[in-house]
Amino acid sequence: MHKLLVRLRRYSHCAMAAEEINKANKQPNRSLDYILKGKVYIEELPPDIEPIRRLLEKHSGIRARDVDEHIYQIRERLWDIYPYVCIGHFRFLSLKFTLDPRYQLALSRLLAPKSEATFLDVACCVGQVLRQLAVDGVDSGRLYGTDLEPRFLDAGYDLFKDRDKFKATLIAGDMLDQGKTGDGDERLKVLDGKMTVIHATSFFHLFTWENQVRAARRMIRFLDPNDPEVMIFGRQVGTTTPGDREGAGGSKRFLHNARSWQELWDEVSKSTGTAWRTEVNEIQEPGMHPDGNTDGSLRRIRFGVFRA
């Protein structure tokens, strides 16, 4: 508890500066009271940390006895950048995405003989998904990642100690930015038309319906228009009662069930002249409400999006 209070006091000292950064990055405010009340920071490593330990030993060459301290150091660095609950709860280290059958489908395409398939992780944070793919045998030169926060991308190189060997293309960019011409963030245009598979976890549920449509349209532009087998997949917070929810700082976000998720992609289909079908399945996991939320309708869901 003493360590936690020290870290929270450190956070409070830089809160005013962080607030200005958050405004520039369109991020919600996190006050000290919110952190204490919301329980967004935990001291102990979670029970499911073992897979990332093995990844760091194998991919990064970190000695087993040094792994936990290395994780704590990187978590503090990320927390100082921005105190997201996924950082406070070490969820940025989760490798549960490997349990999704769609991950295995993506991996099989990427590893097929003479494959030129490509993979993009949207909101990739430190790039743990991409590193797992590399450990699973995928040529990292065909891996791509983007995140709004460039310091997360940079911290990923230090977390995995692979700045000189990891060949993935990592781009800081804003999926919602329309740009001066309405064509989106210029930095992301290098991805247009190149992707076979897009992964997006803990992403769509952050936004309003309108911004989800905007992000989905941007993803479609990333996909190879000549490949009938392209796929978008991931996981997010869903609900049994779809609709708007209030997020941090009074922001609005739209949560989905299977029906509303298909309706969103029907709207995207009409506006882009394309056609998409969706799959949704609920994940049975404990700890649905680490921030103290008491909404019993919330669910964790996995999803897939495919050409119709």
Side-chain angles (χ1 to χ4, degrees):
M1 177 60 70
H2 173 70
K3 290 181 179 179
L4 173 58
L5 291 175
V6 169
R7 291 186 177 100
L8 291 173
R9 291 190 187 105
R10 283 173 50 202
Y11 171 78
S12 66
H13 290 327
C14 61
M16 292 183 65
E19 183 177 358
E20 295 305 313
I21 295 173
N22 296 339
K23 289 178 181 178
N25 289 337
K26 304 176 184 178
Q27 297 171 334
N29 181 46
R30 289 287 192 272
S31 67
L32 181 58
D33 288 342
Y34 181 94
I35 294 170
L36 288 168
K37 181 180 178 181
K39 301 179 182 179
V40 301
Y41 187 104
I42 62 175
E43 277 290 323
E44 300 300 323
L45 292 171
D48 61 351
I49 201 68
E50 193 56 36
I52 197 69
R53 283 193 179 114
R54 293 195 297 267
L55 177 60
L56 288 168
E57 291 173 31
K58 182 175 182 179
H59 177 77
S60 310
I62 301 173
R63 294 179 298 181
R65 67 186 183 187
D66 297 329
V67 166
D68 286 6
E69 180 59 30
H70 181 63
I71 288 173
Y72 279 119
Q73 289 176 358
I74 295 296
R75 198 272 292 264
E76 291 310 298
R77 176 174 166 184
L78 298 173
W79 180 263
D80 285 342
I81 295 171
Y82 194 76
Y84 288 117
V85 65
C86 65
I87 293 170
H89 279 250
F90 295 99
R91 292 210 299 266
F92 67 97
L93 297 174
S94 173
L95 301 184
K96 290 181 180 178
F97 57 85
T98 59
L99 302 176
D100 189 336
R102 299 173 193 93
Y103 174 83
Q104 299 302 325
L105 176 60
L107 184 61
S108 66
R109 289 203 64 184
L110 290 160
L111 293 178
K114 299 182 180 180
S115 173
E116 296 182 355
T118 53
F119 184 104
L120 170 66
D121 190 16
V122 171
C124 65
C125 193
V126 295
Q128 73 275 18
V129 175
L130 303 178
R131 268 66 174 207
Q132 181 63 53
L133 284 166
V135 168
D136 285 340
V138 178
D139 173 11
S140 63
R142 290 189 280 124
L143 302 178
Y144 298 77
T146 183
D147 198 278
L148 179 65
E149 177 52 72
R151 291 173 293 178
F152 287 166
L153 303 177
D154 190 61
Y157 287 115
D158 294 331
L159 171 62
F160 294 102
K161 294 185 177 296
D162 59 2
R163 197 178 296 270
D164 295 329
K165 68 177 182 180
F166 189 58
K167 305 304 180 184
T169 300
L170 303 180
I171 303 171
D174 187 345
M175 290 289 293
L176 302 181
D177 187 354
Q178 293 298 286
K180 295 180 180 179
T181 62
D183 291 331
D185 192 327
E186 291 284 340
R187 296 170 293 180
L188 299 177
K189 286 189 175 182
V190 66
L191 305 174
D192 286 356
K194 294 182 178 180
M195 297 301 122
T196 308
V197 178
I198 296 177
H199 175 255
T201 280
S202 298
F203 177 72
F204 282 100
H205 67 218
L206 299 174
F207 308 118
T208 62
W209 177 286
E210 291 75 17
N211 279 340
Q212 289 178 28
V213 169
R214 182 178 295 177
R217 287 167 55 94
R218 195 71 182 89
M219 288 185 190
I220 289 175
R221 286 176 51 192
F222 293 152
L223 293 171
D224 181 349
N226 300 313
D227 187 342
E229 302 299 326
V230 295
M231 174 177 69
I232 300 170
F233 78 103
R235 57 182 278 166
Q236 59 198 24
V237 176
T239 180
T240 57
T241 56
D244 290 322
R245 297 293 194 280
E246 184 172 337
S251 61
K252 295 293 183 182
R253 56 180 183 157
F254 193 97
L255 301 185
H256 292 277
N257 64 5
R259 180 177 179 179
S260 67
W261 185 239
Q262 180 63 58
E263 290 172 348
L264 179 96
W265 285 90
D266 288 344
E267 180 175 329
V268 172
S269 297
K270 292 178 182 178
S271 65
T272 58
T274 57
W276 302 93
R277 64 176 180 86
T278 64
E279 299 174 349
V280 171
N281 58 286
E282 186 177 321
I283 311 169
Q284 298 296 332
E285 284 183 356
M288 184 66 237
H289 308 288
D291 61 354
N293 193 310
T294 58
D295 185 347
S297 72
L298 298 184
R299 301 289 187 272
R300 284 198 178 102
I301 59 175
R302 292 188 183 121
F303 65 85
V305 182
F306 309 87
R307 292 197 190 279

